[in-house]
Amino acid sequence: MMQHSEYLGYAAGIITTLAFLPQAFRIFSTRRTRDISLLWALAMNTGIVLWLLYGIAKNDLPMIAANSISLILLMIILFLKLRYR
Amino acid sequence: MMQHSEYLGYAAGIITTLAFLPQAFRIFSTRRTRDISLLWALAMNTGIVLWLLYGIAKNDLPMIAANSISLILLMIILFLKLRYR
């Protein structure tokens, strides 16, 4: 059975992960990324890799799941940022 | 003494927190937020509150520190998004 804190972690992970979906869709539809900081996109990709490794080191499933999916979406956003400057 | 994983957590937290700085500065200087998704900003603020509570529940200092500062920067970005539509 999950502890209460695990539910909190999964809720946090689901929300912050899904947050990148409307951002990615917005870029897909407008093909504009001017107002998005390239440095933000680069730093987020780097940082989320580290959060993922931290989650693995701590064997923390909510962190591993959330950061894996966030990383995929952030890689897409970074790719779009580089493509539609 | 910190465990190795703690350093990883602090590095992750510092990078993902600082990532929001260039984004906030970009909005301050351009006063433009059109390419930034409002839903992203709302979801990130909500999700980071939950990550902060999760960090508190787990007594995880890197998570508490990083998410506290990220939340402040994300609140600023959300405010700017609402102000400069």
PDB file of all heavy atoms in Angstrom, chain A residues 44-68:
ATOM      1  N   MET A  44      16.594  23.348 -18.146  1.00  0.00           N
ATOM      2  CA  MET A  44      15.576  22.400 -17.687  1.00  0.00           C
ATOM      3  C   MET A  44      15.919  20.980 -18.124  1.00  0.00           C
ATOM      4  O   MET A  44      15.798  20.037 -17.349  1.00  0.00           O
ATOM      5  CB  MET A  44      14.194  22.798 -18.221  1.00  0.00           C
ATOM      6  CG  MET A  44      13.561  23.962 -17.490  1.00  0.00           C
ATOM      7  SD  MET A  44      13.340  23.682 -15.707  1.00  0.00           S
ATOM      8  CE  MET A  44      11.992  22.500 -15.710  1.00  0.00           C
ATOM      9  N   ASN A  45      16.369  20.816 -19.376  1.00  0.00           N
ATOM     10  CA  ASN A  45      16.749  19.485 -19.837  1.00  0.00           C
ATOM     11  C   ASN A  45      17.879  18.914 -18.980  1.00  0.00           C
ATOM     12  O   ASN A  45      17.826  17.755 -18.557  1.00  0.00           O
ATOM     13  CB  ASN A  45      17.169  19.525 -21.310  1.00  0.00           C
ATOM     14  CG  ASN A  45      15.984  19.324 -22.249  1.00  0.00           C
ATOM     15  OD1 ASN A  45      15.576  18.202 -22.500  1.00  0.00           O
ATOM     16  ND2 ASN A  45      15.407  20.418 -22.728  1.00  0.00           N
ATOM     17  N   THR A  46      18.883  19.751 -18.711  1.00  0.00           N
ATOM     18  CA  THR A  46      20.010  19.310 -17.885  1.00  0.00           C
ATOM     19  C   THR A  46      19.551  18.963 -16.474  1.00  0.00           C
ATOM     20  O   THR A  46      19.884  17.904 -15.931  1.00  0.00           O
ATOM     21  CB  THR A  46      21.070  20.431 -17.812  1.00  0.00           C
ATOM     22  OG1 THR A  46      21.382  20.855 -19.131  1.00  0.00           O
ATOM     23  CG2 THR A  46      22.324  19.947 -17.117  1.00  0.00           C
ATOM     24  N   GLY A  47      18.777  19.867 -15.887  1.00  0.00           N
ATOM     25  CA  GLY A  47      18.352  19.683 -14.503  1.00  0.00           C
ATOM     26  C   GLY A  47      17.432  18.480 -14.321  1.00  0.00           C
ATOM     27  O   GLY A  47      17.531  17.760 -13.325  1.00  0.00           O
ATOM     28  N   ILE A  48      16.549  18.258 -15.294  1.00  0.00           N
ATOM     29  CA  ILE A  48      15.619  17.132 -15.164  1.00  0.00           C
ATOM     30  C   ILE A  48      16.366  15.792 -15.282  1.00  0.00           C
ATOM     31  O   ILE A  48      15.997  14.813 -14.628  1.00  0.00           O
ATOM     32  CB  ILE A  48      14.468  17.243 -16.197  1.00  0.00           C
ATOM     33  CG1 ILE A  48      13.574  18.462 -15.878  1.00  0.00           C
ATOM     34  CG2 ILE A  48      13.619  15.974 -16.217  1.00  0.00           C
ATOM     35  CD1 ILE A  48      12.835  18.380 -14.543  1.00  0.00           C
ATOM     36  N   VAL A  49      17.442  15.772 -16.091  1.00  0.00           N
ATOM     37  CA  VAL A  49      18.285  14.563 -16.125  1.00  0.00           C
ATOM     38  C   VAL A  49      18.829  14.291 -14.720  1.00  0.00           C
ATOM     39  O   VAL A  49      18.794  13.155 -14.231  1.00  0.00           O
ATOM     40  CB  VAL A  49      19.457  14.729 -17.122  1.00  0.00           C
ATOM     41  CG1 VAL A  49      20.497  13.638 -16.915  1.00  0.00           C
ATOM     42  CG2 VAL A  49      18.953  14.686 -18.556  1.00  0.00           C
ATOM     43  N   LEU A  50      19.281  15.346 -14.041  1.00  0.00           N
ATOM     44  CA  LEU A  50      19.835  15.170 -12.686  1.00  0.00           C
ATOM     45  C   LEU A  50      18.755  14.765 -11.687  1.00  0.00           C
ATOM     46  O   LEU A  50      18.980  13.919 -10.819  1.00  0.00           O
ATOM     47  CB  LEU A  50      20.543  16.454 -12.233  1.00  0.00           C
ATOM     48  CG  LEU A  50      21.775  16.843 -13.044  1.00  0.00           C
ATOM     49  CD1 LEU A  50      22.395  18.130 -12.508  1.00  0.00           C
ATOM     50  CD2 LEU A  50      22.822  15.733 -13.016  1.00  0.00           C
ATOM     51  N   TRP A  51      17.550  15.375 -11.787  1.00  0.00           N
ATOM     52  CA  TRP A  51      16.439  14.961 -10.899  1.00  0.00           C
ATOM     53  C   TRP A  51      16.102  13.494 -11.126  1.00  0.00           C
ATOM     54  O   TRP A  51      15.795  12.758 -10.186  1.00  0.00           O
ATOM     55  CB  TRP A  51      15.178  15.803 -11.135  1.00  0.00           C
ATOM     56  CG  TRP A  51      15.103  17.103 -10.399  1.00  0.00           C
ATOM     57  CD1 TRP A  51      14.870  18.325 -10.948  1.00  0.00           C
ATOM     58  CD2 TRP A  51      15.210  17.338  -8.970  1.00  0.00           C
ATOM     59  NE1 TRP A  51      14.834  19.296  -9.968  1.00  0.00           N
ATOM     60  CE2 TRP A  51      15.042  18.710  -8.754  1.00  0.00           C
ATOM     61  CE3 TRP A  51      15.447  16.501  -7.879  1.00  0.00           C
ATOM     62  CZ2 TRP A  51      15.097  19.292  -7.485  1.00  0.00           C
ATOM     63  CZ3 TRP A  51      15.504  17.072  -6.604  1.00  0.00           C
ATOM     64  CH2 TRP A  51      15.328  18.447  -6.425  1.00  0.00           C
ATOM     65  N   LEU A  52      16.165  13.065 -12.395  1.00  0.00           N
ATOM     66  CA  LEU A  52      15.886  11.657 -12.713  1.00  0.00           C
ATOM     67  C   LEU A  52      16.929  10.755 -12.050  1.00  0.00           C
ATOM     68  O   LEU A  52      16.580   9.744 -11.418  1.00  0.00           O
ATOM     69  CB  LEU A  52      15.891  11.477 -14.239  1.00  0.00           C
ATOM     70  CG  LEU A  52      15.687  10.057 -14.765  1.00  0.00           C
ATOM     71  CD1 LEU A  52      14.383   9.457 -14.273  1.00  0.00           C
ATOM     72  CD2 LEU A  52      15.713  10.056 -16.298  1.00  0.00           C
ATOM     73  N   LEU A  53      18.215  11.129 -12.152  1.00  0.00           N
ATOM     74  CA  LEU A  53      19.277  10.344 -11.521  1.00  0.00           C
ATOM     75  C   LEU A  53      19.119  10.342  -9.997  1.00  0.00           C
ATOM     76  O   LEU A  53      19.358   9.331  -9.335  1.00  0.00           O
ATOM     77  CB  LEU A  53      20.657  10.912 -11.907  1.00  0.00           C
ATOM     78  CG  LEU A  53      21.033  10.785 -13.384  1.00  0.00           C
ATOM     79  CD1 LEU A  53      22.363  11.490 -13.662  1.00  0.00           C
ATOM     80  CD2 LEU A  53      21.123   9.318 -13.804  1.00  0.00           C
ATOM     81  N   TYR A  54      18.691  11.496  -9.450  1.00  0.00           N
ATOM     82  CA  TYR A  54      18.452  11.591  -8.001  1.00  0.00           C
ATOM     83  C   TYR A  54      17.311  10.662  -7.594  1.00  0.00           C
ATOM     84  O   TYR A  54      17.398   9.942  -6.591  1.00  0.00           O
ATOM     85  CB  TYR A  54      18.113  13.041  -7.640  1.00  0.00           C
ATOM     86  CG  TYR A  54      17.895  13.311  -6.166  1.00  0.00           C
ATOM     87  CD1 TYR A  54      18.915  13.100  -5.237  1.00  0.00           C
ATOM     88  CD2 TYR A  54      16.679  13.823  -5.708  1.00  0.00           C
ATOM     89  CE1 TYR A  54      18.712  13.378  -3.892  1.00  0.00           C
ATOM     90  CE2 TYR A  54      16.481  14.111  -4.369  1.00  0.00           C
ATOM     91  CZ  TYR A  54      17.505  13.885  -3.463  1.00  0.00           C
ATOM     92  OH  TYR A  54      17.305  14.165  -2.132  1.00  0.00           O
ATOM     93  N   GLY A  55      16.247  10.645  -8.385  1.00  0.00           N
ATOM     94  CA  GLY A  55      15.124   9.747  -8.119  1.00  0.00           C
ATOM     95  C   GLY A  55      15.557   8.285  -8.161  1.00  0.00           C
ATOM     96  O   GLY A  55      15.140   7.471  -7.325  1.00  0.00           O
ATOM     97  N   ILE A  56      16.421   7.966  -9.138  1.00  0.00           N
ATOM     98  CA  ILE A  56      16.934   6.589  -9.243  1.00  0.00           C
ATOM     99  C   ILE A  56      17.798   6.265  -8.021  1.00  0.00           C
ATOM    100  O   ILE A  56      17.665   5.197  -7.412  1.00  0.00           O
ATOM    101  CB  ILE A  56      17.736   6.412 -10.560  1.00  0.00           C
ATOM    102  CG1 ILE A  56      16.779   6.476 -11.765  1.00  0.00           C
ATOM    103  CG2 ILE A  56      18.496   5.079 -10.551  1.00  0.00           C
ATOM    104  CD1 ILE A  56      17.480   6.616 -13.108  1.00  0.00           C
ATOM    105  N   ALA A  57      18.657   7.216  -7.627  1.00  0.00           N
ATOM    106  CA  ALA A  57      19.533   7.003  -6.454  1.00  0.00           C
ATOM    107  C   ALA A  57      18.715   6.791  -5.188  1.00  0.00           C
ATOM    108  O   ALA A  57      19.099   5.999  -4.320  1.00  0.00           O
ATOM    109  CB  ALA A  57      20.477   8.194  -6.283  1.00  0.00           C
ATOM    110  N   LYS A  58      17.591   7.490  -5.092  1.00  0.00           N
ATOM    111  CA  LYS A  58      16.749   7.371  -3.896  1.00  0.00           C
ATOM    112  C   LYS A  58      15.670   6.308  -4.059  1.00  0.00           C
ATOM    113  O   LYS A  58      14.854   6.108  -3.155  1.00  0.00           O
ATOM    114  CB  LYS A  58      16.095   8.729  -3.601  1.00  0.00           C
ATOM    115  CG  LYS A  58      17.090   9.782  -3.126  1.00  0.00           C
ATOM    116  CD  LYS A  58      16.500  10.551  -1.974  1.00  0.00           C
ATOM    117  CE  LYS A  58      17.554  11.072  -1.038  1.00  0.00           C
ATOM    118  NZ  LYS A  58      16.977  11.731   0.136  1.00  0.00           N
ATOM    119  N   ASN A  59      15.648   5.661  -5.227  1.00  0.00           N
ATOM    120  CA  ASN A  59      14.627   4.646  -5.524  1.00  0.00           C
ATOM    121  C   ASN A  59      13.221   5.202  -5.280  1.00  0.00           C
ATOM    122  O   ASN A  59      12.374   4.568  -4.657  1.00  0.00           O
ATOM    123  CB  ASN A  59      14.873   3.407  -4.671  1.00  0.00           C
ATOM    124  CG  ASN A  59      14.185   2.185  -5.250  1.00  0.00           C
ATOM    125  OD1 ASN A  59      13.936   2.130  -6.467  1.00  0.00           O
ATOM    126  ND2 ASN A  59      13.864   1.215  -4.410  1.00  0.00           N
ATOM    127  N   ASP A  60      13.021   6.428  -5.778  1.00  0.00           N
ATOM    128  CA  ASP A  60      11.771   7.144  -5.555  1.00  0.00           C
ATOM    129  C   ASP A  60      10.926   7.076  -6.840  1.00  0.00           C
ATOM    130  O   ASP A  60      11.191   7.798  -7.812  1.00  0.00           O
ATOM    131  CB  ASP A  60      12.111   8.600  -5.177  1.00  0.00           C
ATOM    132  CG  ASP A  60      10.882   9.428  -4.830  1.00  0.00           C
ATOM    133  OD1 ASP A  60       9.902   9.384  -5.602  1.00  0.00           O
ATOM    134  OD2 ASP A  60      10.896  10.101  -3.811  1.00  0.00           O
ATOM    135  N   LEU A  61       9.933   6.207  -6.831  1.00  0.00           N
ATOM    136  CA  LEU A  61       9.183   5.953  -8.063  1.00  0.00           C
ATOM    137  C   LEU A  61       8.448   7.169  -8.619  1.00  0.00           C
ATOM    138  O   LEU A  61       8.475   7.375  -9.837  1.00  0.00           O
ATOM    139  CB  LEU A  61       8.215   4.780  -7.866  1.00  0.00           C
ATOM    140  CG  LEU A  61       8.889   3.407  -7.843  1.00  0.00           C
ATOM    141  CD1 LEU A  61       7.858   2.307  -7.646  1.00  0.00           C
ATOM    142  CD2 LEU A  61       9.664   3.157  -9.145  1.00  0.00           C
ATOM    143  N   PRO A  62       7.765   7.991  -7.773  1.00  0.00           N
ATOM    144  CA  PRO A  62       7.119   9.180  -8.357  1.00  0.00           C
ATOM    145  C   PRO A  62       8.113  10.068  -9.091  1.00  0.00           C
ATOM    146  O   PRO A  62       7.823  10.586 -10.181  1.00  0.00           O
ATOM    147  CB  PRO A  62       6.532   9.906  -7.134  1.00  0.00           C
ATOM    148  CG  PRO A  62       6.339   8.847  -6.111  1.00  0.00           C
ATOM    149  CD  PRO A  62       7.457   7.869  -6.324  1.00  0.00           C
ATOM    150  N   MET A  63       9.309  10.251  -8.510  1.00  0.00           N
ATOM    151  CA  MET A  63      10.308  11.111  -9.150  1.00  0.00           C
ATOM    152  C   MET A  63      10.820  10.497 -10.451  1.00  0.00           C
ATOM    153  O   MET A  63      11.041  11.201 -11.435  1.00  0.00           O
ATOM    154  CB  MET A  63      11.484  11.361  -8.201  1.00  0.00           C
ATOM    155  CG  MET A  63      11.128  12.229  -7.013  1.00  0.00           C
ATOM    156  SD  MET A  63      12.610  12.758  -6.138  1.00  0.00           S
ATOM    157  CE  MET A  63      13.251  13.969  -7.285  1.00  0.00           C
ATOM    158  N   ILE A  64      11.041   9.188 -10.440  1.00  0.00           N
ATOM    159  CA  ILE A  64      11.548   8.517 -11.646  1.00  0.00           C
ATOM    160  C   ILE A  64      10.525   8.629 -12.780  1.00  0.00           C
ATOM    161  O   ILE A  64      10.867   9.000 -13.907  1.00  0.00           O
ATOM    162  CB  ILE A  64      11.875   7.036 -11.354  1.00  0.00           C
ATOM    163  CG1 ILE A  64      13.053   6.935 -10.371  1.00  0.00           C
ATOM    164  CG2 ILE A  64      12.195   6.285 -12.644  1.00  0.00           C
ATOM    165  CD1 ILE A  64      13.291   5.533  -9.817  1.00  0.00           C
ATOM    166  N   ALA A  65       9.259   8.326 -12.462  1.00  0.00           N
ATOM    167  CA  ALA A  65       8.217   8.351 -13.491  1.00  0.00           C
ATOM    168  C   ALA A  65       8.021   9.757 -14.043  1.00  0.00           C
ATOM    169  O   ALA A  65       8.037   9.978 -15.261  1.00  0.00           O
ATOM    170  CB  ALA A  65       6.901   7.818 -12.902  1.00  0.00           C
ATOM    171  N   ALA A  66       7.865  10.729 -13.129  1.00  0.00           N
ATOM    172  CA  ALA A  66       7.575  12.099 -13.562  1.00  0.00           C
ATOM    173  C   ALA A  66       8.727  12.674 -14.379  1.00  0.00           C
ATOM    174  O   ALA A  66       8.516  13.285 -15.436  1.00  0.00           O
ATOM    175  CB  ALA A  66       7.303  12.985 -12.346  1.00  0.00           C
ATOM    176  N   ASN A  67       9.955  12.485 -13.890  1.00  0.00           N
ATOM    177  CA  ASN A  67      11.090  13.107 -14.565  1.00  0.00           C
ATOM    178  C   ASN A  67      11.409  12.443 -15.899  1.00  0.00           C
ATOM    179  O   ASN A  67      11.908  13.095 -16.814  1.00  0.00           O
ATOM    180  CB  ASN A  67      12.306  13.136 -13.633  1.00  0.00           C
ATOM    181  CG  ASN A  67      12.149  14.177 -12.546  1.00  0.00           C
ATOM    182  OD1 ASN A  67      11.934  15.342 -12.819  1.00  0.00           O
ATOM    183  ND2 ASN A  67      12.194  13.750 -11.296  1.00  0.00           N
ATOM    184  N   SER A  68      11.107  11.150 -16.040  1.00  0.00           N
ATOM    185  CA  SER A  68      11.314  10.478 -17.324  1.00  0.00           C
ATOM    186  C   SER A  68      10.423  11.092 -18.393  1.00  0.00           C
ATOM    187  O   SER A  68      10.876  11.422 -19.498  1.00  0.00           O
ATOM    188  CB  SER A  68      10.985   8.982 -17.213  1.00  0.00           C
ATOM    189  OG  SER A  68      11.835   8.366 -16.291  1.00  0.00           O
TER     190      SER A  68
END
